[in-house]
Amino acid sequence: MKNCTRQEKIRLNMGKDGWSNYSPNGELYTFQLSDGPIGLRHHGENGDTEPSIAYPSMQMLSHTWDMGLVERYAEALADDCIDHGVDILLGPGVSIKRLPTCGRNFEYVSEDPLLAGVVGYHYIHALQGRHIGACLKHYCCNNQETERYWISAEVDEQTLREIYLKPFEIACKAEPWTVMSSYNRVNGVQVNEDERLHRILREEFGFDGTVISDWWAVHRPSKAVNAGTNLIMPYDEKTMEKLMSAEDIDDSALEENNRRVIALAEKCEHAKTLRQSKLTILERRQIAQEIEENGIVLLKNNGILPFKDKETVLPIIGNAAEQYYRGGGSSEVKPELPYEKLHESLQKCGATGAHFAWNDETGTLQNCVKEAKTAQAVIVAVGNSHIVEAEEKDRETLRLTKEEEFYIHTLAKENKNVIVVVYAGAPIDMSTWIDEVGAVIWAGYGGDMVNRAVAEIILGEVNPSGKLTETFPLALEDVPAYCTERTAESVYYSEKRAVGYRYFATEKKAVLFPFGYGLSYSEFFYKDLQIEEQEDCFDVIFTIENTSDRDGKEIAQLYIGSPETNYFELKGFTKVNVPMHSNRQAKITVDKSLLQNFDVEENAWKPYEGRYEFRVGKNCMDISLRKERVF
Ligand code: BGC
């Protein structure tokens, strides 16, 4: 920018409005930002949200453990961005799911930093491969919504590095065009004012793009500008006044921030010339459906599933079967399609006897009970709406509503084959009813195509293969992070690295469902573990056998840790297609750089030393194969 006054330079540090950058004298390309990350939430010219494809949530995407699908998800989204003239999509979110109650967990990937980082990496890589910029968010320690604008995450250095920064470190390798700094404070310092966190991002993670503040996150603009917040979003008059009158803005910071915003605008301008949407709307919906089919997790099955008798009566009960359930807040997409109800989807897949048997207004639970007595199975659809799981608040309980639990108990008394379908974005406490029902399907927030995929799983056209990427505890009080000290200003991460399965598996504490868990209609066995050391990595090779009469997909996981402390961490995974009655060899390659811990005294990563065990299994608590190595 030639001959910019200091005022213009300061002005450039903040957006033009809610969704684009300021352009002095119209000389700079004006880029368009839009939410993300689970569908496009683009504001049209009159400010209304334009309808778009609603994709399965990030939770459902992560349940696929399939990086090919992650890339296809991002490519479909990129095409949506191209169609709507969007340059940068505000996603992916890779914040760690520290608390199962966090209102935005459905937008995040996992409680595990490796998995969160790897999914983030592939999402960014594919989105940007189609010339749409990504925005990696929310950097960092934005792990709860309660008091999110001010809360300080009090976290020790080793935990910060190994758990909370790790996903960003991994995802940054895909060179995101932008990173969004989070609302909260870390160890007392507002993230957008935190020079050290910005330095780690730039110097250690090699981030070379533009740092954008979360919306209205900047309270002291000159401090944020000086620390490396390149673009304050959105435009806000009061904040701009503060900026213009500030006397402590560092010239070099201003120059640097301007350089980053200009570089981003130029990158977007060039990218626009390269963009071409490739997938038809139908193809994008097919991708959404395929991801949902792969993301659904079969949590329990007494053998009623797959449901074979397509013509028999199959009553369906519960609001969630009739209404589109999704999380609320900035990621809430306005779906394009009229919602296909569960009985419609089942009928389209051939289940002629499937029907919605319950109507809230006429209160016909009694009729349902009558039907349940004679039906072969009953479907009960339950879950959380966008009011329950949403931005700016956390859930107070993991339980369903009293009414929903009552329907389940009542119908389960009449019929041993109650199939519960759960539409939600984060763990549900099922402990009061799980033993009474025949089957549980986790449909999650599945987007537009959710019920088509659920119907295919129920009828066995799709063999379930999704596995959980977070622990489902038996009770909220079992979660260490939930029990640590919290004040209005601070939350103490005193559980340290004992987040999710890192606590439950280490302590052998019972859970409802462990991290990595999910059933299939096939049966798999693991055998013949070998570990081959290469220069930079280990190849972990084993065989998976499918002894059933169905082709299936199995997600195998590798955990490495010390047998003395029993502290094990996910270090790799693979998803293998195994045809019925056959074996397939599986290989997981672990880069040696992953076999390190952060040494606080030396302020550096240190390779493992001593005796370690490699464990391969179906989930973190179901280990089939083990081998030791001394490092
Ligand atoms: C959210 C961001 C989002 C932004 C813009 C904020 O409230 O935290 O994730 O991208 O709004 O909608």
Side-chain angles (χ1 to χ4, degrees):
M1 300 269 74
K2 281 180 234 132
N3 309 322
C4 254
T5 62
R6 186 170 163 84
Q7 281 204 325
E8 285 284 84
K9 286 182 182 170
I10 293 177
R11 180 64 194 84
L12 202 55
N13 233 152
M14 194 187 281
K16 177 178 113 205
D17 48 30
W19 307 105
S20 56
N21 59 310
Y22 173 71
S23 168
N25 309 316
E27 280 180 51
L28 196 62
Y29 176 80
T30 308
F31 50 76
Q32 287 297 316
L33 304 154
S34 192
D35 282 305
I38 57 181
L40 191 61
R41 190 182 68 112
H42 184 55
H43 297 86
E45 280 179 7
N46 60 5
D48 290 349
T49 310
E50 292 174 352
S52 186
I53 297 174
Y55 294 86
S57 67
M58 291 298 279
Q59 183 209 40
M60 296 308 283
L61 178 64
S62 73
H63 287 167
T64 70
W65 300 67
D66 182 333
M67 297 312 125
L69 286 178
V70 172
E71 295 205 354
R72 288 172 62 209
Y73 184 97
E75 281 166 5
L77 268 167
D79 280 358
D80 292 341
C81 290
I82 294 171
D83 291 354
H84 289 259
V86 169
D87 295 288
I88 296 164
L89 186 72
L90 300 173
V94 297
S95 299
I96 289 294
K97 301 187 191 193
R98 174 176 181 262
L99 291 166
T101 44
C102 172
R104 296 186 83 171
N105 277 354
F106 68 94
E107 285 184 61
Y108 297 143
V109 181
S110 178
E111 68 189 22
D112 181 77
L114 174 71
L115 188 58
V118 170
V119 169
Y121 172 93
H122 286 274
Y123 185 117
I124 295 165
H125 177 73
L127 190 75
Q128 297 188 168
R130 291 284 179 97
H131 312 290
I132 298 293
C135 182
L136 179 63
K137 66 192 191 183
H138 304 92
Y139 182 77
C140 64
C141 295
N142 184 181
N143 312 108
Q144 65 177 52
E145 289 297 293
T146 308
E147 303 294 346
R148 69 174 182 177
Y149 298 101
W150 293 103
I151 198 81
S152 177
E154 300 294 322
V155 54
D156 68 275
E157 189 65 14
Q158 185 183 16
T159 306
L160 179 68
R161 297 289 188 146
E162 294 189 14
I163 307 288
Y164 296 100
L165 290 181
K166 199 65 175 176
F168 292 94
E169 182 182 345
I170 296 171
C172 272
K173 295 197 166 75
E175 301 180 8
W177 295 4
T178 68
V179 166
M180 188 187 292
S181 54
S182 54
Y183 285 119
N184 53 290
R185 294 179 294 146
V186 173
N187 295 330
V189 184
Q190 204 81 43
V191 173
N192 58 53
E193 300 177 9
D194 193 325
E195 286 176 20
R196 190 178 90 99
L197 284 175
H198 283 85
R199 211 169 34 245
I200 291 176
L201 183 66
R202 296 280 181 206
E203 292 171 13
E204 298 185 34
F205 303 168
F207 175 63
D208 195 28
T210 307
V211 176
I212 302 179
S213 75
D214 202 342
W215 271 230
W216 291 284
V218 171
H219 311 298
R220 297 187 296 186
S222 57
K223 288 203 179 319
V225 165
N226 287 345
T229 303
N230 305 140
L231 180 63
I232 299 173
M233 285 302 291
Y235 176 76
D236 168 64
E237 214 172 298
K238 279 213 177 101
T239 314
M240 184 46 82
E241 274 167 20
K242 280 195 204 166
L243 252 190
M244 286 295 181
S245 59
E247 287 175 0
D248 57 343
I249 298 181
D250 191 41
D251 279 345
S252 60
L254 202 54
E255 294 292 335
E256 170 65 2
N257 293 347
N258 285 181
R259 184 176 77 76
R260 297 279 181 189
V261 173
I262 294 167
L264 181 62
E266 288 171 349
K267 195 170 198 147
C268 290
E269 187 172 23
H270 176 62
K272 197 171 182 174
T273 64
L274 306 171
R275 288 180 194 142
Q276 216 177 6
S277 99
K278 293 200 176 133
L279 300 159
T280 63
I281 299 287
L282 189 65
E283 284 168 333
R284 291 175 223 172
R285 280 203 192 111
Q286 278 163 350
I287 291 173
Q289 185 176 331
E290 194 181 332
I291 287 163
E292 180 63 5
E293 288 164 2
N294 279 270
I296 286 175
V297 184
L298 180 62
L299 294 173
K300 175 173 181 180
N301 187 10
N302 66 356
I304 184 66
L305 295 175
F307 191 72
K308 288 155 213 86
D309 306 302
K310 287 194 173 180
E311 279 138 47
T312 60
V313 169
L314 186 58
I316 303 171
I317 290 149
N319 280 335
E322 288 272 287
Q323 285 168 21
Y324 176 52
Y325 273 30
R326 75 280 194 191
S330 61
S331 66
E332 193 175 331
V333 175
K334 192 169 169 186
E336 280 179 338
L337 283 183
Y339 185 57
E340 188 173 284
K341 298 166 181 166
L342 183 55
H343 70 273
E344 293 166 353
S345 299
L346 280 158
Q347 284 169 0
K348 284 192 176 142
C349 293
T352 49
H355 65 285
F356 192 62
W358 177 67
N359 180 327
D360 210 8
E361 280 156 31
T362 53
T364 54
L365 181 62
Q366 270 178 337
N367 292 348
C368 298
V369 169
K370 255 189 245 156
E371 274 206 55
K373 277 188 205 299
T374 51
Q376 248 183 50
V378 182
I379 296 177
V380 183
V382 294
N384 287 336
S385 71
H386 60 295
I387 312 286
V388 177
E389 285 184 55
E391 208 164 303
E392 292 202 50
K393 62 177 190 186
D394 297 320
R395 282 187 297 164
E396 277 163 22
T397 171
L398 302 185
R399 300 273 292 268
L400 294 168
T401 62
K402 286 202 173 70
E403 291 75 22
E404 285 174 320
E405 290 193 352
F406 177 70
Y407 302 145
I408 297 174
H409 291 308
T410 309
L411 294 160
K413 279 194 195 114
E414 307 300 332
N415 193 312
K416 67 178 187 341
N417 290 328
V418 166
I419 302 166
V420 181
V421 184
V422 189
Y423 302 72
I428 296 286
D429 176 352
M430 306 179 188
S431 52
T432 61
W433 50 265
I434 186 114
D435 293 337
E436 298 168 21
V437 303
V440 183
I441 296 172
W442 186 264
Y445 290 140
D448 283 350
M449 305 307 293
V450 58
N451 281 332
R452 203 53 87 82
V454 170
E456 288 174 339
I457 298 261
I458 290 176
L459 300 174
E461 280 165 35
V462 169
N463 188 355
S465 60
K467 291 199 178 183
L468 297 178
T469 50
E470 68 210 277
T471 307
F472 277 38
L474 278 169
L476 192 47
E477 294 68 31
D478 290 349
V479 179
Y482 183 73
C483 303
T484 67
E485 193 187 341
R486 285 179 268 181
T487 64
E489 291 87 38
S490 305
V491 49
Y492 295 86
Y493 286 30
S494 39
E495 78 286 2
K496 300 190 170 182
R497 298 179 304 165
V499 176
Y501 74 88
R502 282 170 166 73
Y503 165 71
F504 289 99
T506 309
E507 299 301 326
K508 301 197 171 108
K509 171 112 184 139
V511 293
L512 181 65
F513 300 114
F515 175 88
Y517 171 88
L519 301 174
S520 162
Y521 297 148
S522 305
E523 267 197 79
F524 300 106
F525 294 92
Y526 293 24
K527 56 187 181 188
D528 305 333
L529 174 65
Q530 295 164 52
I531 301 173
E532 289 174 8
E533 183 166 359
Q534 314 292 350
E535 202 182 326
D536 300 325
C537 64
F538 287 95
D539 287 331
V540 178
I541 300 162
F542 51 100
T543 301
I544 303 178
E545 182 177 12
N546 177 352
T547 56
S548 72
D549 294 332
R550 289 190 69 120
D551 298 347
K553 290 181 239 177
E554 170 66 347
I555 296 161
Q557 299 145 43
L558 168 70
Y559 298 87
I560 302 181
S562 146
E564 273 111 56
T565 60
N566 201 36
Y567 180 80
F568 278 76
E569 297 183 313
L570 181 79
K571 294 294 175 188
F573 50 88
T574 182
K575 186 171 179 178
V576 188
N577 275 305
V578 192
M580 60 177 135
H581 302 294
S582 59
N583 293 311
R584 284 290 177 271
Q585 198 174 64
K587 181 162 105 175
I588 299 174
T589 298
V590 199
D591 200 278
K592 284 187 182 162
S593 64
L594 285 177
L595 308 182
Q596 305 188 78
N597 289 111
F598 193 78
D599 184 318
V600 177
E601 270 166 33
E602 299 207 17
N603 195 35
W605 290 90
K606 287 275 137 96
Y608 284 178
E609 257 178 40
R611 212 157 61 86
Y612 279 79
E613 194 174 63
F614 286 55
R615 295 182 170 176
V616 176
K618 294 182 176 179
N619 65 62
C620 73
M621 290 188 175
D622 184 356
I623 300 299
S624 313
L625 308 169
R626 298 157 198 258
K627 243 190 184 92
E628 271 196 18
R629 299 280 311 195
V630 178
F631 288 90

